[in-house]
Amino acid sequence: GTVVFLIAIYVSGEIARRVLRMPSLVGEIFCGILLGPPLLDDFVPNPEAWVMFGELGLVLLVIEAGIDIDLSTLKLIGTRGFLIAFFGSIFPIGIGMLITWMLNITDTKGILAAGAVFGPTSLGIALNILRNGGVLNTPVGQLIISAAVIDDMIALVVLSQLEALVGEITVLSVLIPIISALAFLIIGGYAAIFILPPIINKHILTRFKEEYHDKIEMSIMFLLLVALMPATYYAKASYLMGAFVAGLTFC
């Protein structure tokens, strides 16, 4: 079943790319829906393992997004990226909440949950399509990625507030996710761009021969990833933000 599933994914992706002139990811997603748990629950063995592989692939994609960030381009589109992300999150969340309210659902948690469903942007899908289209490092590609990162942060804050409604609601349970998400984005991003690169280049890489620099940088990035992902997760932010900051250090 595993081999057939892998072959079906590849063929579906090629059909979408060559025949339908669409990103191969569309065909792969469609194949996963047809052969995965939603329809054929017994066809794919160990679906939880495939989900884990998908999570690992998403982490690698987010690291690549951080590495591929062009700071000079990002400075030009930073404000626009933030505005696009902000309104791209707030409008769908508001629409979802409005639809729920119009359906006479008065439960506050249910209304927020419906809004939160419309909020997130799939950073993994955006990265895959932009990379396959060869536009990841263009101004438009950088605008989309920067907007997607901020958009996901806003959506995660909304989801964390939804979790805070479970049980006793306290000021800390509401404020901690917001503060931690902003702190990792601002402080972590600043450290990844302005503090860590000079330290790595002047005090670490100079101790090794140039031929080993790539391996040393890879090891440092892996250590940052191992440190930042649990830190962001337990701080009620997104673990993907930790992966993004780790990649951003080597952009």
Side-chain angles (χ1 to χ4, degrees):
T2 301
V3 176
V4 174
F5 185 53
L6 290 174
I7 294 174
I9 290 175
Y10 175 78
V11 172
S12 300
E14 289 299 304
I15 291 175
R17 183 172 65 89
R18 297 176 183 271
V19 179
L20 302 178
R21 302 295 181 182
M22 301 173 67
S24 59
L25 186 64
V26 176
E28 294 165 359
I29 292 175
F30 185 73
C31 179
I33 294 174
L34 288 179
L35 302 181
L39 293 180
L40 300 179
D41 189 36
D42 297 328
F43 184 82
V44 180
N46 301 318
E48 295 83 5
W50 291 101
V51 173
M52 183 188 69
F53 284 129
E55 293 288 342
L56 291 174
L58 180 58
V59 168
L60 294 176
L61 279 172
V62 174
I63 291 175
E64 182 183 7
I67 295 173
D68 287 338
I69 287 293
D70 187 339
L71 294 179
S72 59
T73 304
L74 195 60
K75 290 179 182 178
L76 297 175
I77 62 176
T79 303
R80 284 181 293 170
F82 177 80
L83 291 176
I84 291 173
F86 180 78
F87 290 107
S89 291
I90 297 301
F91 282 164
I93 291 173
I95 291 172
M97 295 175 66
L98 178 62
I99 292 174
T100 309
W101 178 77
M102 291 175 64
L103 293 175
N104 293 324
I105 298 176
T106 57
D107 178 51
T108 303
K109 185 178 177 181
I111 294 175
L112 287 176
V117 168
F118 287 85
T121 298
S122 178
L123 182 58
I125 292 178
L127 280 170
N128 191 299
I129 293 175
L130 291 172
R131 184 180 58 184
N132 290 339
V135 295
L136 181 59
N137 292 319
T138 64
V140 173
Q142 295 290 296
L143 176 62
I144 294 173
I145 292 303
S146 60
V149 171
I150 300 172
D151 179 77
D152 276 353
M153 184 198 74
I154 295 173
L156 285 165
V157 168
V158 174
L159 289 173
S160 64
Q161 299 313 302
L162 182 63
E163 293 179 355
L165 294 179
V166 179
E168 184 181 357
I169 301 175
T170 64
V171 175
L172 288 179
S173 66
V174 174
L175 291 180
I176 286 177
I178 299 175
I179 295 173
S180 62
L182 291 174
F184 276 107
L185 183 66
I186 298 173
I187 301 175
Y190 181 86
I193 294 172
F194 298 106
I195 299 177
L196 291 178
I199 294 176
I200 294 171
N201 292 329
K202 295 180 180 179
H203 301 288
I204 298 179
L205 294 182
T206 53
R207 299 176 181 270
F208 299 91
K209 295 181 180 180
E210 188 174 353
E211 59 194 76
Y212 297 115
H213 284 188
D214 290 343
K215 295 180 180 178
I216 298 300
E217 289 178 341
M218 180 67 71
S219 300
I220 295 173
M221 185 171 65
F222 178 75
L223 291 175
L224 287 173
L225 181 68
V226 171
L228 288 172
M229 286 185 61
T232 49
Y233 176 80
Y234 286 111
K236 305 299 183 182
S238 169
Y239 67 92
L240 292 179
M241 191 178 297
F244 180 77
V245 171
L248 189 63
T249 306
F250 299 91
C251 69

